Amino acid sequence: MTKNDILRPLAPADLEMVRSWRNHPSVRDYMLTRQEITAGAHREWFNRHRDDPGRALLVFECEGTAKGFVQFTPSLSAGVADWGFYTAPDAPKGTGRRLGRAALAEAFGRLGYQRLCGQALGGNAASIRLHEALGFTEEGRLRRHFFDGAGWHDLVLFGLLKNEWQESQRG
Ligand SMILES: CC(C)(COP(=O)(O)OP(=O)(O)OC[C@H]1O[C@@H](n2cnc3c(N)ncnc32)[C@H](O)[C@@H]1OP(=O)(O)O)[C@@H](O)C(=O)NCCC(=O)NCCS
């Protein structure tokens, strides 16, 4: 992460850009919901969640250009959240790492979470590698948990604690 990497709130003017990323096969093929998202459904999702306390819908920017999307969803337990994310389909390699570092600073800093959880399909090598590189621990694997219409996939569960992240910042 450089000082020019920022996360800012998703705004109405971003919706079409983020929807085009989310619908792109390089993103959609790794999601648990695979259907194309219509403009109406996307706007409805944004309006439903934009003011949710604890939930954060964020655009990742590098040097002033939007390069990805990050979402934090609070879990039932206070201080715990799930995250979801994707980079713009044309983002250069390395963007995921930068997005991840900015997201962890946001999660454990401003948002004050104590624990962050992630999930990746067993075949999503980039996401699994990224979670590992960011310091997440693989905490479980739900075997054959997701059917994509053609085959079954494991779901890999990741967790990272605030003190682990803080430790990694000192190193
Ligand atoms: C997952 C995602 C954010 C990674 O972004 P990225 O810019 O490709 O990631 P980076 O280039 O920073 O690479 C991160 C790590 O993953 C590795 N990696 C990237 N693509 C890979 C691939 N296809 N196979 C294996 N490893 C891969 C990189 O080598 C790097 O590890 P390293 O630093 O040890 O070398 C991006 O591919 C994406 O948006 N995918 C679709 C949506 C998605 O899967 N979101 C996560 C849902 S759980």
Side-chain angles (χ1 to χ4, degrees):
M1 185 174 116
T2 76
K3 66 178 170 35
N4 295 324
D5 290 356
I6 61 155
L7 285 164
R8 59 160 177 84
L10 179 69
D14 301 312
L15 286 182
E16 273 312 296
M17 171 187 71
V18 169
R19 185 172 78 94
S20 74
W21 296 346
R22 177 62 176 76
N23 280 334
H24 192 278
S26 67
V27 172
R28 186 151 56 104
D29 290 353
Y30 293 101
M31 297 286 136
L32 297 182
T33 47
R34 300 277 172 95
Q35 76 276 19
E36 195 142 332
I37 296 176
T38 63
H42 194 58
R43 207 171 315 106
E44 195 273 325
W45 160 84
F46 177 66
N47 290 334
R48 190 154 28 97
H49 294 306
R50 61 189 301 182
D51 298 323
D52 250 10
R55 186 182 286 247
L57 309 177
L58 302 165
V59 170
F60 173 63
E61 276 187 4
C62 302
E63 282 93 31
T65 304
K67 293 277 179 106
F69 172 73
V70 176
Q71 172 166 213
F72 296 109
T73 307
S75 144
L76 287 177
S77 174
V80 180
D82 294 305
W83 79 316
F85 55 92
Y86 41 88
T87 49
D90 63 354
K93 283 288 158 202
T95 303
R97 260 185 184 255
R98 291 171 68 170
L99 172 151
R101 289 196 202 107
L104 297 187
E106 183 80 0
F108 295 123
R110 196 178 67 81
L111 294 171
Y113 298 130
Q114 294 299 313
R115 170 176 160 77
L116 191 61
C117 309
Q119 298 185 343
L121 290 171
N124 191 350
S127 179
I128 290 171
R129 180 66 206 124
L130 180 60
H131 278 92
E132 290 168 350
L134 291 171
F136 282 81
T137 295
E138 184 179 321
E139 296 180 337
R141 176 178 284 261
L142 306 181
R143 296 169 305 152
R144 292 168 64 87
H145 189 70
F146 177 70
F147 185 70
D148 66 3
W152 288 93
H153 302 269
D154 294 352
L155 192 64
V156 187
L157 309 178
F158 290 99
L160 179 64
L161 305 180
K162 181 174 183 171
N163 67 298
E164 294 169 342
W165 173 75
Q166 285 172 323
E167 195 57 40
S168 72
Q169 298 307 291
R170 282 192 277 271

